[in-house]
Amino acid sequence: MRRDWLQSWLADIIKRKHSAAQITLSHHNIYIVPSRQGAFFLCMVTLNFILGSNYQNNLILGVAYVMLLILVLALIYGYLNLHGLSIQLLDVKNNFAEKPVEVQIKLTSPHTCYSLDVASQGFDFSDCNSHYSQGAQVMSLFLHPGPRGRYTLGRLKLSSNYPFGLVRVWTYLNVDRTFCVYPSPLACQLTFSEQEVTAEKGQYVHQSTQSHENFDGLERFRPGISKSRISWRHFAKSQQLLVKQYSGDSFYSQHTFDYAAHDGPKEARLSKLCYQVLEADKQGDEFALRLSNAVQVTAGRGDKHREACLEALSDF
Amino acid sequence: MNKTTQDIISQLSELILGKEEQIRLAVVCLLCKGHLLIEDLPGMGKTTLSHGLANVLGLSYQRVQFTSDLLPADITGSSVFNTSQQSFDFHPGPIFSQVLLADEINRASPKTQSALLEAMEERQVTVDGKTHPLPEPFFVIATQNPLHQSGTHPLPESQLDRFFLRISLGYPDEHAEKSLILGNNLQRQSLSELTCVLDLNALATLQQAVLDVNLSDSIVQYIINLVNFTRYSGQFSDPLSPRASIALGLATRAYALTQSRDYALPDDVQAVFAAVAGHRLNISANELDDVVKGIFDNVAVVL
Amino acid sequence: MTSDKLLGAQTLLTTLLYGLVSILLFNSFGLVFTCAMLLIVLFKLAIYRGLVQGPSENLVNLLAFTVILVVFVAIGFSNLVEMFVSLLLGACALKTIQAKTKKQAMSVQLLNFFVYPCFFIFSQNVLSLLFVLVLLVVNLAQMLWIEHGIALRSAIRQAARHLLLALPLAAIMVVLLPKVSPFWQLPGANKTQTGLSEDIDPFEISELSRSDELVFRAILPDNTQMKPPFYWRTLVHDNYDGTRWRVSAQHDVPLQAPFRAVGESYTVIARASGKTWLYNLGQAKSSTRGVNTNQFGTLFMQKRLSSSMEYQVTPIHTAGPGLVNWQYRLNTALPDGINPLATALALQWDASTGNTAEFIQQMKQYFVQNRFHYSLKPPTISDRNSIDRFLTETREGFCGHYAASAAFMLRAAGIPARLVSGYLGGEYNGERGYYSVYQYDAHAWVEYYVPQQGWYRLDPTAWVAPDRLSGSLSELTALEDEFKDNLGLSLMSYSNLALVNWVRLQIEQLDYQWTRWVLNFDQQKQSRLLRDLFGQYHRLLPALSVFLLLIAIFVARFWYLQRKQVVKLPEAVRLHHAICQLAEGELHKVTPAQALLALQSQYPNLSQELAEFNQYFVKSRFSRAQLTKSEATRMKALGRLIIKKAKK
């Protein structure tokens, strides 16, 4: 009971002190204690002290004192090792399930910083024992969060056991950053449901056929491409459906990917949708995503749109 | 030597009134052996500036008006079958000149644009498997209309940094405009009246002198801080590359040289920053001033 | 280098150091264990070079068992400390072979902080200190190497810096922090036997083994009461069995009889001998803890002297009840039927003289007239009647021969007599005023009893070699060659070269100071020093001052290091910043030209100065050319002028 209270109180303090996108380390946010090895070292000090006292051997006694002082010095040097270091979370890159999520952290140090370990408290990853020389550096960490969904990055712990491994110096970076794990794409038929051409969109298609300037070549017909681009001349000759490609303005088709159009378990359906989104984006097509009546992404194209669709798939 | 740069700038300033700063940047670009991109609405004096620059420098000059039907071969040249000799002869295109004015470059199709940009980078043209080196110096001044104009193809982003600087002239101030109106018909004449103040040797010497300008440690650090800000502040989708840092350093030196100094100041960095970084950061000319000011406010000058 | 290979290199260094330590402690550990250690080192080296596979778990266990066996057999339980340290060393060496992970390697390094100081149990001179310090620096550096991957060379530099900072502080702590009494008795390290022995049988020895090893030093008060010859009494042999003089059974029994102190105290600093007996002049007692007096008036300790010790000696005079019956019998006891010639001679003198003094006079005449002479290489006599043959045939020998013969004849005449062994003389160091007594100063003489008066000293060797009394044996010119032959190769044997002798004396003096002030800085000395330093507050203040001193030093160090981290701005920039602060806004963040404009608009009357300052500032910071001296001064003056005027 009391322990719980203590822990929540500590967590509170840490949250208050370390919640920022960027923190610069100084006396109020660096924690330092002798490490396990430091405790063992202290045992050696005691042993030497007993030995020196019993043999009345000033030299052994002196060694015991030297060791004690080295431990104190280690505390100072350990503190200064992290002091002035500035940590900033730059970016968390979303990724597909079972692929690592890249976390980019920028470290700016006014001096060389030895043996810095970065670990996440929520996820299983760490980067150990790297030295950082003076100046700004960006480090990438890879975490493996688990199944599809949206996660909160939570607390990052930066620690070092410099010097001699006798002390443990650490600090936290608490960031309210969420990231998504997209469903892993599952190859499937691109069931393009061709959109009814509305008045405005019809105009768009119309306009683009008008504005072609350079005939670029022929390409195999894929479902979803406007039939107006089919080269009927070739079809008549070779019974092959070929589409005229133009440089300059390219042609885009529009699709709507619907959750209801797939069957199977939920995750598989989402994986298939993910695959479709990626394929459509690769072809530069315009697409919309419809997960349920409440959750839809309206038609669009480009990187931002793809991100939005994938995030919707993660959240669903 | 400093006199020559001053001379170029003052001569061109008489031609294009009230645009001394842009003219200076154009000269900087030339001193750095880079290519210049001028972005403006029609009728702002883009062509006049580039034409004037070529005249003052005494360099051979070609102008190509880019249109949507312009083909790559129209620029680079093509092989023509010579019936008398029974062989293909290479007929060099307009790109084989020391100064090439590519007018309204974004009207041409991406293919043609790419052909030009490739030649700019490699300083050679390959036609039918044969490589033809371009003349020395080779200086491309491209003008482009603001992107929102109809019938334009944006230059490919990945190749934009083939241009060393991007400047825009903008409207002249009232005083300059008044003079323009009054002396309007004199202008074309004076373009041909410009005296050539530079020969090839002098230009080479000047370009060498740029490298002798002192770039103190603090200036280098300032440049690094500026570049890093674009990389790590999260405000820019296309941060500056190391090539941009190099360009920034070089442009700073050249700018200091045009100011008759053998050392660079933070002011020089600020003066060239917009022109060097604007197109690389993919920021349109009308937003550029605000963005650059924001960067300068955030990144303190290193003294 | 792969991480495995690197770890191998890291632990190999430790193994090599263990090998070095065991070679240096060869005298304590003996041949067998040292060889075993060297084999382990070779094994590790072979593993590192890839000649042999790393050992399996079973093999390591087998090796561990072998090492334990070697230690038990070769060192044994009689030498507990040696056994303990060698086991520790062996275990650590095996651990370095076995270490596969960083953590295991680190645990060996941490254990080394206990292993290396154990070297001090066996040797405590200045060189040992330096050796152990080097070991500690390397150990710390290895920790940096293993734990942080810092290259060994720079790791050593870092570690040395840490240690150098800690060393003087630790010395202060040793001096000032209160000393704790021993918690319990620990066995001391055994010393190899040299010097005096408990049994004396001079006739068996053909060549007296003499070494120039130091036995003890004595600081005698500067007065006339104590003057040479100095007979340092150590052992009393009163048990004679016909061949050997055995040490008295009463030697370890504290004195019961009343006594009174006579004369001034003096100090003796004894070297570790592994024995219980100590050294003093005449009869004495000691105020030092653990040092007792026996009934012969010599000093002894309860435990063996395993490290060097300093003790105070006060001469005493016992007023005992005289010689009781059994003591009289013990001190006149002779086996029957040996040395008939000597017995006859003694009885003849006894008959012709009235008292002991005259008897001794007769004896002296006999030795002098029959041309006995002193020799360090006498022929051996292995005969039941050895004294007879010495008196009649060989007639040459060292102190033992003369003392044993004289004591035999005294006893034969019914006079209580006993043999005393100890040291005679000592080398005087004029600069520091102390005597150094070496093993080659060992001596034996006779004590005889005169009823109602007590025991008297008799040195029959002095009749034969009177020079022997005046100083140390080393100063005896007559025997110089013979003496040096016996010493073998040492600095002493070249002492006739002025330079060598000077060096020897310097080392000797350093060692004296080291022993006196470092090794024997005990509770007594500490409390005396603290009383001198802190007066009446000597109980509390020293510990407190150490505490405060440490805090002060660490805070200073911390502050210094932190300050070093802040990059110091050049003076021009600092001045510029100061000027920029005169105006609103963060002018130090904009270019100098912009700052100049802003300042000029705010301080129009200063625009001239501001412009000039800016010109110098820009030149100093951005131009390739440096400011000349006068320009720099001008810039500083301008800066101050601007700040002064602007603030008005």
Side-chain angles (χ1 to χ4, degrees):
Chain A
M1 183 71 190
R2 200 195 149 102
R3 207 182 156 77
D4 286 356
W5 176 80
L6 194 72
Q7 266 175 358
S8 72
W9 179 68
L10 273 178
D12 236 40
I13 286 193
I14 289 168
K15 204 166 208 170
R16 214 174 39 241
K17 269 190 180 174
H18 297 270
S19 291
Q22 174 174 12
I23 58 170
T24 300
L25 302 185
S26 64
H27 62 274
H28 66 275
N29 49 18
I30 295 180
Y31 309 100
I32 178 163
V33 289
S35 63
R36 193 183 293 257
Q37 289 174 343
F40 191 54
F41 188 77
L42 216 57
C43 290
M44 295 294 130
V45 172
T46 320
L47 267 178
N48 277 333
F49 183 76
I50 292 172
L51 199 70
S53 293
N54 271 332
Y55 278 109
Q56 307 215 296
N57 192 321
N58 286 332
L59 296 180
I60 300 182
L61 210 59
V63 170
Y65 289 144
V66 163
M67 286 165 67
L68 196 68
L69 292 171
I70 283 178
L71 190 64
V72 178
L73 277 176
L75 289 173
I76 292 181
Y77 277 88
Y79 168 79
L80 288 175
N81 186 37
L82 289 196
H83 178 84
L85 183 72
S86 169
I87 314 155
Q88 184 188 359
L89 181 79
L90 288 181
D91 200 7
V92 186
K93 296 212 164 102
N94 302 337
N95 208 341
F96 302 98
E98 284 145 37
K99 290 222 171 93
V101 170
E102 185 183 1
V103 178
Q104 282 188 328
I105 292 172
K106 182 191 171 196
L107 297 167
T108 316
S109 175
H111 48 85
T112 308
C113 181
Y114 293 102
S115 282
L116 191 68
D117 299 357
V118 183
S120 160
Q121 301 215 303
F123 305 98
D124 166 38
F125 83 89
S126 60
D127 172 85
C128 289
N129 240 338
S130 321
H131 299 318
Y132 293 93
S133 47
Q134 189 179 349
Q137 271 133 100
V138 177
M139 65 190 289
S140 287
L141 302 160
F142 295 94
L143 41 135
H144 303 269
R148 177 193 69 89
R150 187 179 282 272
Y151 294 85
T152 313
L153 184 59
R155 211 151 77 181
L156 292 179
K157 183 175 177 180
L158 287 93
S159 59
S160 168
N161 57 1
Y162 178 84
F164 311 120
L166 297 180
V167 293
R168 185 126 200 99
V169 192
W170 77 97
T171 188
Y172 299 105
L173 182 65
N174 212 28
V175 271
D176 293 331
R177 188 66 164 263
T178 59
F179 61 91
C180 291
V181 174
Y182 308 140
S184 53
L186 184 68
C188 66
Q189 177 73 37
L190 288 175
T191 51
F192 292 100
S193 60
E194 202 158 337
Q195 184 88 346
E196 285 298 310
V197 180
T198 59
E200 305 93 325
K201 281 178 183 149
Q203 202 175 16
Y204 161 78
V205 172
H206 182 70
Q207 189 189 30
S208 42
T209 46
Q210 287 299 301
S211 72
H212 68 266
E213 285 152 324
N214 283 324
F215 174 68
D216 215 37
L218 289 166
E219 201 183 80
R220 284 174 71 93
F221 174 78
R222 288 174 286 113
I225 295 181
S226 169
K227 289 194 179 71
S228 62
R229 283 167 57 203
I230 292 176
S231 170
W232 298 112
R233 202 156 50 121
H234 280 90
F235 181 72
K237 264 196 223 160
S238 60
Q239 302 297 312
Q240 238 185 332
L241 272 179
L242 292 175
V243 197
K244 287 179 272 186
Q245 271 299 353
Y246 297 91
S247 65
D249 280 358
S250 52
F251 283 86
Y252 306 100
S253 16
Q254 195 185 352
H255 324 281
T256 296
F257 303 125
D258 198 340
Y259 180 72
H262 297 279
D263 43 9
K266 180 180 177 187
E267 293 302 321
R269 282 157 112 178
L270 290 173
S271 287
K272 282 175 185 168
L273 283 175
C274 175
Y275 175 75
Q276 289 177 331
V277 166
L278 291 177
E279 284 302 304
D281 180 65
K282 212 182 279 168
Q283 286 159 13
D285 294 344
E286 190 165 305
F287 57 93
L289 185 68
R290 196 186 129 86
L291 290 167
S292 68
N293 279 335
V295 186
Q296 314 200 15
V297 182
T298 49
R301 119 165 38 103
D303 292 350
K304 289 221 169 77
H305 178 66
R306 186 192 61 221
E307 294 291 311
C309 290
L310 290 173
E311 286 188 18
L313 285 173
S314 308
D315 289 337
F316 186 63
Chain B
M1 185 187 299
N2 301 319
K3 212 181 134 285
T4 17
T5 57
Q6 287 305 323
D7 222 20
I8 302 167
I9 293 162
S10 60
Q11 282 215 36
L12 289 171
S13 301
E14 284 169 23
L15 190 65
I16 306 157
L17 299 172
K19 293 288 164 208
E20 196 179 331
E21 195 57 30
Q22 281 80 350
I23 293 164
R24 192 182 293 278
L25 283 171
V27 172
V28 162
C29 188
L30 182 70
L31 293 181
C32 298
K33 304 183 188 174
H35 305 294
L36 182 66
L37 180 66
I38 307 177
E39 180 176 300
D40 239 326
L41 292 164
M44 305 291 254
K46 298 184 294 258
T47 318
T48 318
L49 173 64
S50 51
H51 207 154
L53 210 52
N55 276 10
V56 172
L57 298 176
L59 300 172
S60 72
Y61 170 79
Q62 291 270 13
R63 174 181 168 161
V64 181
Q65 181 70 45
F66 277 46
T67 54
S68 55
D69 55 359
L70 193 74
L71 291 172
D74 296 338
I75 307 170
T76 56
S78 51
S79 295
V80 176
F81 189 72
N82 187 333
T83 41
S84 60
Q85 301 200 341
Q86 296 288 307
S87 66
F88 282 100
D89 283 354
F90 179 65
H91 283 230
I95 202 170
F96 288 86
S97 68
Q98 287 164 321
V99 178
L100 174 75
L101 173 60
D103 228 351
E104 301 194 305
I105 187 169
N106 55 346
R107 282 206 184 281
S109 66
K111 235 178 216 170
T112 316
Q113 290 175 357
S114 289
L116 175 67
L117 291 168
E118 234 173 273
M120 278 162 58
E121 182 64 18
E122 285 157 23
R123 287 172 192 269
Q124 62 184 25
V125 168
T126 306
V127 175
D128 292 338
K130 258 188 94 179
T131 303
H132 307 275
L134 292 173
E136 250 328 292
F138 175 62
F139 183 41
V140 173
I141 304 172
T143 70
Q144 83 171 337
N145 298 318
L147 292 178
H148 53 80
Q149 279 217 328
S150 61
T152 56
H153 299 272
L155 287 169
E157 284 164 23
S158 55
Q159 292 176 349
L160 262 180
D161 70 350
R162 306 261 158 98
F163 288 105
F164 190 75
L165 294 183
R166 183 189 72 180
I167 58 175
S168 68
L169 293 169
Y171 298 114
D173 57 25
E174 206 169 309
H175 173 74
E177 194 137 25
K178 205 180 276 175
S179 320
L180 278 174
I181 295 164
L182 293 174
N184 195 17
N185 49 352
L186 294 173
Q187 202 197 35
R188 286 285 161 189
Q189 287 172 8
S190 57
L191 189 60
S192 50
E193 281 168 14
L194 287 175
T195 47
C196 166
V197 291
L198 212 60
D199 59 7
L200 283 182
N201 279 337
L203 181 64
T205 323
L206 270 179
Q207 285 170 340
Q208 191 57 44
V210 169
L211 301 176
D212 292 336
V213 171
N214 185 40
L215 213 54
S216 72
D217 291 346
S218 48
I219 297 285
V220 173
Q221 189 59 51
Y222 183 45
I223 289 175
I224 290 172
N225 290 356
L226 285 171
V227 170
N228 274 340
F229 181 78
T230 67
R231 292 176 189 168
Y232 301 126
S233 65
Q235 296 178 14
F236 302 93
S237 52
D238 306 300
L240 290 178
S241 61
R243 194 191 291 183
S245 321
I246 298 169
L248 205 48
L250 199 59
T252 303
R253 286 175 152 170
Y255 194 87
L257 190 70
T258 63
Q259 299 276 17
S260 319
R261 265 187 276 110
D262 64 348
Y263 56 90
L265 289 179
D267 306 82
D268 300 333
V269 182
Q270 295 194 347
V272 298
F273 185 76
V276 174
H279 58 299
R280 296 173 209 256
L281 291 170
N282 212 3
I283 299 167
S284 66
N286 45 0
E287 290 174 351
L288 191 58
D289 282 350
D290 292 338
V291 174
V292 166
K293 193 178 175 306
I295 295 175
F296 290 160
D297 285 347
N298 275 302
V299 183
V301 172
V302 180
L303 293 173
Chain C
M1 226 192 286
T2 61
S3 66
D4 270 2
K5 186 91 172 159
L6 192 65
L7 197 72
Q10 286 159 351
T11 46
L12 175 68
L13 184 55
T14 318
T15 326
L16 289 175
L17 290 178
Y18 289 150
L20 188 61
V21 168
S22 35
I23 288 173
L24 287 176
L25 292 180
F26 179 77
N27 274 337
S28 301
F29 291 156
L31 185 66
V32 182
F33 179 76
T34 311
C35 285
M37 280 302 286
L38 292 181
L39 282 178
I40 294 179
V41 173
L42 282 179
F43 187 41
K44 173 74 188 170
L45 208 60
I47 295 172
Y48 175 70
R49 298 305 298 257
L51 302 174
V52 199
Q53 282 280 312
S56 65
E57 195 80 14
N58 285 334
L59 184 59
V60 171
N61 287 340
L62 190 73
L63 281 175
F65 183 71
T66 318
V67 168
I68 291 172
L69 208 69
V70 162
V71 168
F72 280 175
V73 172
I75 297 175
F77 280 97
S78 53
N79 308 314
L80 259 172
V81 174
E82 282 85 350
M83 197 177 84
F84 165 69
V85 175
S86 55
L87 275 180
L88 199 62
L89 213 55
C92 286
L94 286 180
K95 186 93 183 155
T96 58
I97 288 187
Q98 199 192 10
K100 294 238 164 35
T101 62
K102 222 163 82 169
K103 211 172 160 186
Q104 285 170 333
M106 273 301 281
S107 66
V108 175
Q109 301 305 322
L110 285 171
L111 211 56
N112 280 349
F113 281 107
F114 184 59
V115 177
Y116 291 155
C118 282
F119 193 81
F120 287 138
I121 297 177
F122 302 100
S123 172
Q124 296 159 32
N125 55 35
V126 185
L127 286 178
S128 318
L129 176 72
L130 290 178
F131 177 64
V132 172
L133 285 181
V134 169
L135 285 182
L136 289 180
V137 166
V138 173
N139 202 40
L140 282 171
Q142 278 180 283
M143 286 166 77
L144 287 177
W145 190 19
I146 295 171
E147 191 71 25
H148 311 297
I150 298 172
L152 190 60
R153 192 183 290 259
S154 68
I156 284 182
R157 214 172 302 131
Q158 268 189 37
R161 218 173 39 223
H162 277 84
L163 200 76
L164 277 182
L165 187 71
L167 216 52
L169 293 175
I172 292 173
M173 285 169 82
V174 169
V175 171
L176 294 186
L177 280 186
K179 286 209 185 305
V180 185
S181 310
F183 303 116
W184 57 80
Q185 290 292 337
L186 287 175
N190 286 341
K191 277 294 274 193
T192 36
Q193 309 259 338
T194 51
L196 303 186
S197 56
E198 300 189 344
D199 303 336
I200 296 184
D201 180 12
F203 301 102
E204 288 287 340
I205 301 166
S206 70
E207 194 170 334
L208 202 55
S209 156
R210 306 236 160 186
S211 80
D212 62 347
E213 194 188 335
L214 184 79
V215 184
F216 63 93
R217 293 199 179 89
I219 307 157
L220 297 179
D222 217 8
N223 62 17
T224 46
Q225 238 183 29
M226 291 181 192
K227 50 181 186 268
F230 295 120
Y231 281 91
W232 299 96
R233 297 173 78 230
T234 305
L235 288 173
V236 176
H237 312 261
D238 57 4
N239 190 349
Y240 181 56
D241 65 355
T243 50
R244 257 172 226 173
W245 289 86
R246 293 187 192 279
V247 78
S248 168
Q250 306 293 310
H251 208 269
D252 293 341
V253 181
L255 174 66
Q256 304 292 334
F259 60 83
R260 60 190 163 84
V262 284
E264 232 172 304
S265 299
Y266 52 92
T267 308
V268 175
I269 308 149
R271 270 301 173 85
S273 65
K275 301 289 201 282
T276 56
W277 58 70
L278 295 174
Y279 325 97
N280 60 279
L281 293 168
Q283 290 187 308
K285 70 161 180 88
S286 173
S287 56
T288 308
R289 247 166 44 133
V291 179
N292 296 314
T293 308
N294 59 20
Q295 60 165 344
F296 308 110
T298 61
L299 300 175
F300 69 98
M301 299 198 309
Q302 298 294 1
K303 58 171 190 173
R304 289 168 188 276
L305 187 60
S306 59
S307 60
S308 85
M309 188 183 87
E310 180 174 325
Y311 58 94
Q312 304 295 317
V313 188
T314 315
I316 56 163
H317 187 268
T318 52
L323 223 52
V324 292
N325 205 6
W326 66 268
Q327 284 175 325
Y328 180 82
R329 260 189 279 125
L330 180 70
N331 281 300
T332 50
L334 283 179
D336 287 333
I338 55 162
N339 297 322
L341 209 74
T343 316
L345 211 56
L347 289 174
Q348 181 200 326
W349 292 336
D350 190 36
S352 65
T353 54
N355 57 20
T356 312
E358 282 172 21
F359 179 89
I360 290 168
Q361 198 54 43
Q362 284 280 336
M363 192 155 60
K364 177 180 178 182
Q365 267 179 9
Y366 177 82
F367 279 114
V368 174
Q369 280 167 1
N370 286 296
R371 294 176 189 280
F372 282 83
H373 72 268
Y374 188 84
S375 165
L376 291 172
K377 293 175 179 172
T380 52
I381 309 168
S382 46
D383 193 332
R384 200 158 167 271
N385 301 321
S386 49
I387 293 176
D388 277 4
R389 286 193 56 196
F390 170 67
L391 290 178
T392 55
E393 289 170 31
T394 61
R395 290 185 181 170
E396 64 174 317
F398 47 82
C399 56
H401 296 80
Y402 296 101
S405 308
F408 181 86
M409 288 193 281
L410 281 167
R411 282 192 175 192
I415 302 165
R418 63 195 184 194
L419 222 61
V420 178
S421 59
Y423 297 88
L424 172 61
E427 185 182 52
Y428 185 65
N429 184 310
E431 227 170 290
R432 300 277 164 198
Y434 63 84
Y435 289 89
S436 303
V437 178
Y438 300 94
Q439 283 302 359
Y440 55 66
D441 289 324
H443 195 51
W445 61 93
V446 178
E447 282 179 353
Y448 63 94
Y449 185 76
V450 180
Q452 274 86 49
Q453 291 185 34
W455 291 91
Y456 282 93
R457 186 181 67 219
L458 169 68
D459 188 359
T461 317
W463 300 331
V464 184
D467 298 349
R468 183 71 182 83
L469 300 186
S470 52
S472 182
L473 190 63
S474 59
E475 288 153 12
L476 208 63
T477 44
L479 284 169
E480 199 172 30
D481 289 341
E482 208 177 332
F483 167 65
K484 282 176 183 166
D485 265 4
N486 279 354
L487 271 180
L489 195 71
S490 73
L491 280 182
M492 192 68 200
S493 41
Y494 296 100
S495 59
N496 50 354
L497 295 172
L499 182 69
V500 176
N501 205 34
W502 181 82
V503 169
R504 186 182 69 83
L505 288 175
Q506 292 304 312
I507 294 173
E508 152 70 32
Q509 217 171 84
L510 176 72
D511 188 65
Y512 166 71
Q513 300 287 9
W514 174 256
T515 317
R516 187 126 208 246
W517 292 109
V518 180
L519 301 184
N520 290 308
F521 185 79
D522 53 8
Q523 257 169 318
Q524 239 177 356
K525 260 191 203 150
Q526 187 187 32
S527 67
R528 211 170 339 147
L529 179 76
L530 296 186
R531 219 179 285 259
D532 288 350
L533 280 176
F534 297 98
Q536 54 171 320
Y537 303 109
H538 66 277
R539 283 183 200 285
L540 205 62
L541 216 52
L544 197 70
S545 64
V546 165
F547 195 63
L548 292 177
L549 185 74
L550 285 185
I551 290 178
I553 285 174
F554 281 127
V555 167
R557 178 75 185 161
F558 181 71
W559 180 76
Y560 169 76
L561 286 172
Q562 203 170 20
R563 210 177 119 83
K564 225 169 51 172
Q565 284 185 354
V566 179
V567 181
K568 212 172 166 216
L569 292 171
E571 191 177 14
V573 176
R574 273 182 288 155
L575 216 52
H576 177 75
H577 280 181
I579 291 173
C580 284
Q581 269 169 7
L582 296 173
E584 299 274 306
E586 295 180 308
L587 286 190
H588 62 276
K589 286 190 175 176
V590 302
T591 68
Q594 291 161 348
L596 174 67
L597 278 178
L599 283 162
Q600 277 176 336
S601 67
Q602 193 165 345
Y603 301 102
N605 53 333
L606 283 174
S607 67
Q608 201 72 39
E609 287 88 345
L610 282 166
E612 198 184 347
F613 174 81
N614 186 63
Q615 184 192 331
Y616 290 130
F617 173 72
V618 163
K619 189 179 174 195
S620 81
R621 293 304 298 154
F622 301 111
S623 147
R624 192 173 280 133
Q626 297 284 311
L627 282 188
T628 63
K629 217 164 207 172
S630 62
E631 281 173 329
T633 344
R634 175 76 183 138
M635 180 179 72
K636 269 183 247 175
L638 270 171
R640 283 192 211 109
L641 182 77
I642 292 165
I643 294 169
K644 205 168 124 193
K645 279 191 176 172
K647 280 190 176 157
K648 263 180 194 168

